[in-house]
Amino acid sequence: MMRLRSSSRSALALLFGVVVSFGMAGSTMAQQVRIPSIVQPSLQPVQVQPPLQPVQSQPTHAVMAGTELAELLDKGKELEAQRRWAEAFALYEDAARKTPGQPDLERRLDFAKLHFDVGRRYADSSFRKSVATLSDSEALEIYSDAAAKVQSHYVQNPDWNRLVGRGAAALEVALSEQTFVEHNLSGVNPDRMSVFVGELRKQMGQRSIRSRIEARDAVWNVAHLARLHLGVQPAATILEFTTGMLGGLDEYSTFLTSGQLADLYSQIEGNFVGLGVELKANEGSLLIVNVIHGSPAEAAGIKSGDRIVEVGGRSTADLSTDAAAELLQGVEGSFAQLMVATADEAPRALTVKRQHVDVPSVDDVRIIDREFGVGYFKLTCFQKTTSRDLDAALWQLHREGMRSLVIDLRGNPGGLLTSGVEVADKFIEQGSIVSTKGRSPGEDFNYTAQRTGTWRVPLVVLIDGDSASAAEILAGALRDYHRATLVGQRSYGKGSVQGIFPLSTGGAGVRLTTAKFYSPLGKPFARVGVEPDVKVQVAAKPIDGRIAIPVSASNANGDAILNAGLEAARQQVAQR
């Protein structure tokens, strides 16, 4: 098992060798992204209703007005009717994050998530290969292994009846999605699917499942029923139950295909093979949100704000972000054929070589105010190289006359738990940094600071609503010890630890929430976040997520949070 922090979003930031981010729980180190809707199926879909037992919600600290909630649900149902599941999911997710504990909203969110996830899975070639090649016994072993890990490691006692019910809902939803039908049910009459769904609901309604062994047996019975009625191979059915079970635990737990698991390990190491771009689906194209310094994309002249309109001769208007990412994926040394458009210019054809890319976790290291000696860097994520990269940045700024330091955690979605602790340890002399508490005593830890190597430079930390997970651990620890002035907006509010568990069959894995984490003063983070000392309201942020940093006290810019942080740093220096 590998312990890490999941991000505020569900997918991997380095998925498929390009930085692909999308709005969902559980991917590590990703930024918020909106993905194009899944293609409308040509086969008349089975009518599926949202699961009757939604994912358990957290206590609410805000209530959406009845009229506002009704309007939002109506808008979401319009998107559902158009089968624009990614947009519906993003709408519900954002609203549920702001006002948790709304049962109708969370029910619609889970329903949209089920639809959205089908398209994501079948856009992944490693998942399609598993469906096509796994034997009946191998597929059942994947379910059994995943269920055993849930039983042993999940933060709460699993409700097997509910989890199997969600697996059945996932299968129903899959039957209504063209991508599943094309791969598993070609030529099947919709009436036969309706009969099967009726029998499935009947079986689920008659069962009371109290253990993972009973859950496995129930899943196998449904797989046999699906083969009898529809001719679908058991692997396809069992994998839907597996992904449905894991996705129903909470917003961060999920099934990892073999491809996703490999990419996650690459991300943790801070390197991958690809183009070195961060993508966001936008208006029928792939918007370049960020280009990694020194990457093949940068060498080819691709810049933030450009749009990829074709990949390998295929228009991105017809592709989901996952499907486009798969086309961009390839072995080191191979080439990607792109059509890239810049604002007010005709698209240009580019051939970009896929190469090894190192992802910096510390970026934009510089002195931003020489008069006051204010140093600055952006901490983009927490990976294996972060501690080493941070040491280099701190010594560079020290040599340049740093007297105060601004650490920018905005948009930082987290990463490795140990990396977050190592960073905090550089600024805190002693005491607890973060504690974790799980169902198993083996998940209870107290991570403490070591006095050796502590930097005593005054600190300002910039945070926003996308600062999550390990970023919140760092901000929370510095807050509790009054070690830094926090500037910006309330952080995301992710307060749980995820473990990565490889499965014994098929090269896949699972990400499970294993514990909750707490600040040195015992304060929770989940649904609460970290409040800044200096709150700053921001109307909008640059499209590429970057900032223009002022080089002197007289050269301010439109970045309100940075300007407020710079002023706080100047005050720290003036008061010494």
Side-chain angles (χ1 to χ4, degrees), residues 316-467:
T316 55
D318 302 323
L319 299 173
S320 70
T321 304
D322 292 304
E326 182 141 329
L327 291 177
L328 292 172
Q329 180 187 16
V331 299
E332 186 171 8
S334 61
F335 293 88
Q337 305 296 328
L338 310 176
M339 288 292 290
V340 178
T342 300
D344 302 324
E345 294 182 13
R348 62 191 188 277
L350 294 176
T351 300
V352 186
K353 188 176 184 179
R354 300 178 178 96
Q355 294 177 323
H356 177 88
V357 177
D358 289 319
V359 183
S361 58
V362 181
D363 199 11
D364 284 344
V365 182
R366 64 180 76 185
I367 298 293
I368 59 174
D369 188 324
R370 296 203 172 275
E371 179 183 354
F372 286 84
V374 179
Y376 170 94
F377 59 76
K378 187 171 182 64
L379 198 56
T380 62
C381 61
F382 293 86
Q383 58 195 27
K384 280 190 174 181
T385 64
T386 301
S387 180
R388 180 195 67 197
D389 296 343
L390 181 55
D391 283 338
L394 288 169
W395 283 111
Q396 174 188 327
L397 293 171
H398 176 72
R399 289 190 296 269
E400 294 178 6
M402 174 179 65
R403 299 166 64 195
S404 181
L405 175 62
V406 176
I407 301 176
D408 194 343
L409 293 178
R410 290 177 294 173
N412 184 320
L416 291 172
L417 181 154
T418 51
S419 177
V421 170
E422 287 169 351
V423 171
D425 193 13
K426 296 182 189 299
F427 303 105
I428 296 172
E429 287 192 354
Q430 60 183 343
S432 175
I433 292 174
V434 66
S435 60
T436 64
K437 298 178 182 179
R439 177 165 59 97
S440 166
E443 296 297 337
D444 295 346
F445 294 92
N446 185 29
Y447 298 87
T448 59
Q450 310 300 316
R451 187 182 299 272
T452 304
T454 302
W455 288 77
R456 295 176 175 82
V457 61
L459 298 176
V460 173
V461 175
L462 310 183
I463 58 175
D464 67 5
D466 291 321
S467 304

Side-chain angles (χ1 to χ4, degrees), residues 3-237:
R3 295 171 60 82
L4 73 151
R5 298 292 171 191
S6 167
S7 78
S8 58
R9 301 285 183 254
S10 67
L12 305 179
L14 304 181
L15 191 63
F16 301 129
V18 289
V19 186
V20 178
S21 317
F22 41 93
M24 228 325 282
S27 133
T28 322
M29 302 186 181
Q31 311 222 356
Q32 182 174 7
V33 173
R34 299 295 179 248
I35 299 182
S37 60
I38 295 169
V39 179
Q40 166 124 16
S42 57
L43 186 63
Q44 182 175 347
V46 176
Q47 295 300 312
V48 183
Q49 295 300 317
L52 295 178
Q53 295 173 302
V55 178
Q56 294 176 351
S57 61
Q58 299 290 332
T60 181
H61 53 78
V63 178
M64 188 179 296
T67 302
E68 183 183 2
L69 177 60
E71 290 176 351
L72 184 141
L73 293 176
D74 286 343
K75 182 178 179 181
K77 289 175 182 178
E78 288 180 10
L79 294 172
E80 291 178 21
Q82 299 170 45
R83 308 193 69 80
R84 295 160 62 184
W85 295 110
E87 295 173 64
F89 174 77
L91 175 72
Y92 296 143
E93 183 190 37
D94 184 61
R97 174 189 165 193
K98 294 176 180 177
T99 57
Q102 304 274 0
D104 288 345
L105 177 58
E106 294 191 1
R107 187 164 171 256
R108 302 311 305 184
L109 170 62
D110 198 45
F111 183 52
K113 177 183 176 183
L114 286 167
H115 279 276
F116 174 64
D117 282 350
V118 176
R120 283 184 50 203
R121 285 195 293 276
Y122 277 88
D124 186 331
S125 60
S126 64
F127 183 82
R128 297 195 304 269
K129 181 179 179 181
S130 294
V131 173
T133 61
L134 286 172
S135 67
D136 298 358
S137 60
E138 287 172 332
L140 193 59
E141 176 60 27
I142 286 178
Y143 182 88
S144 299
D145 194 3
K149 287 175 170 51
V150 171
Q151 181 72 67
S152 299
H153 300 287
Y154 188 60
V155 67
Q156 297 175 346
N157 281 314
D159 180 345
W160 292 109
N161 203 56
R162 187 181 71 82
L163 294 178
V164 173
R166 193 178 188 279
L171 179 59
E172 277 197 52
V173 163
L175 293 174
S176 73
E177 289 294 331
Q178 180 171 342
T179 185
F180 181 90
V181 171
E182 287 178 346
H183 285 91
N184 303 293
L185 294 166
S186 181
V188 175
N189 189 300
D191 291 339
R192 290 174 59 190
M193 284 201 287
S194 297
V195 171
F196 167 74
V197 168
E199 184 62 29
L200 172 64
R201 292 177 176 176
K202 179 180 178 181
Q203 282 203 13
M204 290 296 102
Q206 292 174 345
R207 300 184 76 106
S208 178
I209 300 167
R210 294 160 294 184
S211 70
R212 63 183 176 88
I213 302 303
E214 291 181 357
R216 180 201 62 192
D217 292 344
V219 170
W220 175 247
N221 287 337
V222 173
H224 176 73
L225 185 71
R227 177 160 54 185
L228 180 66
H229 281 262
L230 305 175
V232 63
Q233 292 302 307
T237 300

